[in-house]
Amino acid sequence: MKKRSLADWLDYQQRIHPRSIELGLERVAEVWRRMGELRPAPIVITVGGTNGKGSTVAFLEAMLAVDGKRTGAYTSPHLLRYNERVRVAGADVGDAALVDAFERIEAARAEIALTYFEFGTLAALWIFVQSGIDIALLEVGLGGRLDAVNIIDADATAVTSIDLDHQDWLGNDRDSIGREKAGIFRAGRPAIIGADEPPQGLLDEADRIGADVLRAGSDFRVLRGESGWQWRSAGTLVDLPWPSLVAPCQIDNAAAAIMALHALRDRLGWNPRALVDGVRDARIAARLQRLPIPGQAEVIVDVAHNPQAARVLAQWLASNPAAGHTLAVFGALDDKDVAGIVAPLQSQVDAWLLAALDSLSPRGLAAAPLQARVHAAVPSVAASTHGDPRAALAAARSQARPGDRIVAFGSFYVAAEVLAAMDARG
């Protein structure tokens, strides 16, 4: 029998489970038990939240690398290649490692059904076991309590910002969502809360669990200056540069990452120089990623796909006005709050180019319903429709003039397609 390629495995995983999402730990935990239930690394940090999870992992990864630690990082979703989801020592793993992991999972699961995401989570854990890493960094996919990464008891956890998203799965208010996200906390272990105003549900659940809570604004603080910022906790102070990740919220994400390392300093050591270099050097694609093109409109790509992320994007655009006009390439999934995403940006965008996503995802909004939702939220907005993000980008670039800018956002699918199109054009 011909050995399956990575593409074959991914297609197979998407076909064998009737649902793309099925929260719960029993099935995935049982398969991991059959695979040996090994610890993926001596130290594990798990990161949850509505927005900022991937950036916080990127800060941790960069700071630990400077300190000489061998890391494994599991994040999702990917943008251009599935391999982006699993990194060892800062590099995406190869196809062979993923295929080997999938083969082992398939042999172990037997009659147990797994989703695409659960396959990926188990593959990352298996690869980390085989790679001899010092520390595993696990990003929660959806929620926390019932997310597949929660089969691993983390040594420290961090929850970033919390806002409304995935309400069909997590609840219709911040308290309910906060309780679900607090499910990654463990009794007696550091639980970093990275937002200044977390929902009470998160705090109540942390207290019920008995986690060692470390809160932004009280247990650790950020002080912004003219040329940089300071991180403070008890008697410890670190002077830090501005992150290369430019959104204002990235300082909060970096601060939460530093607090996690400080909480584990007895096991990891404490290296302020590594914190400085890591904050400066951390990179992650499609987070206000600027693609300047000499003589043409700049393209900015961001994965803002919920109201909170849209407000951050709007704040940055307002603080960094374009010389000319701002054109938005926007697409969304059906379960997203389109009105809540569009409303904060209406005063920052001069023209909307709406990209259908139904050809890219079963959950993607087609052009007509997307336009209807946008017009319901902002009746006066000028919005053209296009068959997919690449077509919308091409139309935007044909309309834009030097000094204008194109902002592509609304979904990871939009970001991925725009980045791929820009890469193809050099």
Side-chain angles (χ1 to χ4, degrees):
M1 179 178 174
K2 180 184 175 183
K3 188 180 179 74
R4 285 189 180 120
S5 68
L6 176 58
D8 292 335
W9 271 109
L10 298 178
D11 178 66
Y12 170 72
Q13 291 164 25
Q14 290 175 318
R15 287 188 287 106
I16 63 170
H17 199 285
R19 302 172 66 183
S20 60
I21 299 171
E22 184 176 350
L23 295 179
L25 303 182
E26 294 81 4
R27 293 171 298 100
V28 70
E30 172 57 21
V31 177
W32 187 238
R33 186 193 66 78
R34 295 178 185 181
M35 295 174 71
E37 205 169 15
L38 300 170
R39 188 80 175 156
I43 296 176
V44 176
I45 300 176
T46 298
V47 181
T50 301
N51 296 303
K53 301 186 296 291
S55 298
T56 302
V57 169
F59 282 120
L60 285 165
E61 193 175 15
M63 291 184 285
L64 288 162
V66 174
D67 196 34
K69 303 294 191 298
R70 183 173 169 83
T71 60
Y74 173 54
T75 61
S76 64
H78 63 278
L79 287 167
L80 302 181
R81 298 174 66 239
Y82 184 90
N83 310 60
E84 298 166 21
R85 295 179 178 228
V86 186
R87 296 189 299 277
V88 172
D92 298 346
V93 299
D95 288 10
L98 288 163
V99 167
D100 174 71
F102 290 146
E103 289 173 347
R104 293 176 184 274
I105 295 164
E106 183 72 358
R109 78 174 183 88
E111 79 290 355
I112 298 176
L114 294 175
T115 66
Y116 177 88
F117 179 77
E118 290 166 343
F119 259 101
T121 302
L122 290 171
L125 298 177
W126 179 258
I127 289 168
F128 294 160
V129 169
Q130 308 305 310
S131 299
I133 58 175
D134 300 312
I135 183 165
L137 308 171
L138 307 179
E139 179 189 344
V140 172
L142 194 159
R145 180 175 64 93
L146 298 177
D147 187 83
V149 303
N150 205 31
I151 65 171
I152 303 298
D153 291 327
D155 297 277
T157 51
V159 170
T160 58
S161 64
I162 294 179
D163 206 72
L164 299 180
D165 201 6
H166 300 295
Q167 288 98 309
D168 289 347
W169 297 97
L170 305 179
N172 291 317
D173 56 75
R174 291 180 72 237
D175 283 334
S176 299
I177 294 171
R179 279 189 287 270
E180 287 296 318
K181 293 187 182 295
I184 63 175
F185 296 160
R186 294 296 187 269
R189 298 188 181 183
I192 290 84
I193 296 177
D196 284 339
E197 298 180 358
Q200 191 60 43
L202 177 76
L203 301 176
D204 290 345
E205 185 64 9
D207 183 63
R208 188 195 68 79
I209 291 169
D212 178 15
V213 172
L214 299 165
R215 287 183 61 176
S218 54
D219 297 292
F220 64 100
R221 299 177 183 275
V222 165
L223 298 176
R224 291 169 169 83
E226 292 186 5
S227 58
W229 59 288
Q230 289 183 337
W231 182 92
R232 291 184 178 184
S233 179
T236 304
L237 183 151
V238 184
D239 289 305
L240 296 153
W242 300 121
S244 295
L245 300 173
V246 297
C249 62
Q250 294 295 1
I251 290 178
D252 298 327
N253 296 330
I258 293 171
M259 186 69 250
L261 298 182
H262 189 265
L264 296 172
R265 64 193 181 281
D266 289 346
R267 299 172 64 184
L268 287 171
W270 181 247
N271 184 349
R273 185 70 246 172
L275 306 179
V276 170
D277 292 347
V279 165
R280 184 191 61 232
D281 296 343
R283 301 285 191 281
I284 184 169
R287 274 67 169 183
L288 278 172
Q289 182 175 354
R290 305 177 72 171
L291 304 172
I293 306 167
Q296 299 184 41
E298 179 181 47
V299 177
I300 300 170
V301 185
D302 194 79
V303 293
H305 61 284
N306 54 49
Q308 183 187 51
R311 292 193 295 271
V312 171
L313 175 57
Q315 178 187 1
W316 186 85
L317 292 175
S319 300
N320 297 271
H325 294 95
T326 295
L327 294 77
V329 171
F330 174 71
L333 300 182
D334 184 50
D335 59 349
K336 296 300 179 182
D337 179 3
V338 172
I341 299 170
V342 170
L345 286 147
Q346 59 178 310
S347 63
Q348 302 302 323
V349 173
D350 299 293
W352 292 79
L353 296 93
L354 306 181
L357 299 185
D358 54 324
S359 65
L360 300 173
S361 168
R363 296 163 55 209
L365 275 172
L370 176 63
Q371 186 179 48
R373 291 196 196 182
V374 169
H375 279 155
V378 189
S380 61
V381 73
S384 59
T385 58
H386 305 271
D388 56 45
R390 294 190 189 218
L393 175 66
R397 296 190 71 185
S398 69
Q399 296 175 25
R401 298 292 177 263
D404 292 347
R405 64 182 172 194
I406 300 166
V407 183
F409 73 102
S411 167
F412 275 82
Y413 288 102
V414 173
E417 289 294 296
V418 168
L419 287 175
M422 296 297 291
D423 184 61
R425 294 174 64 94

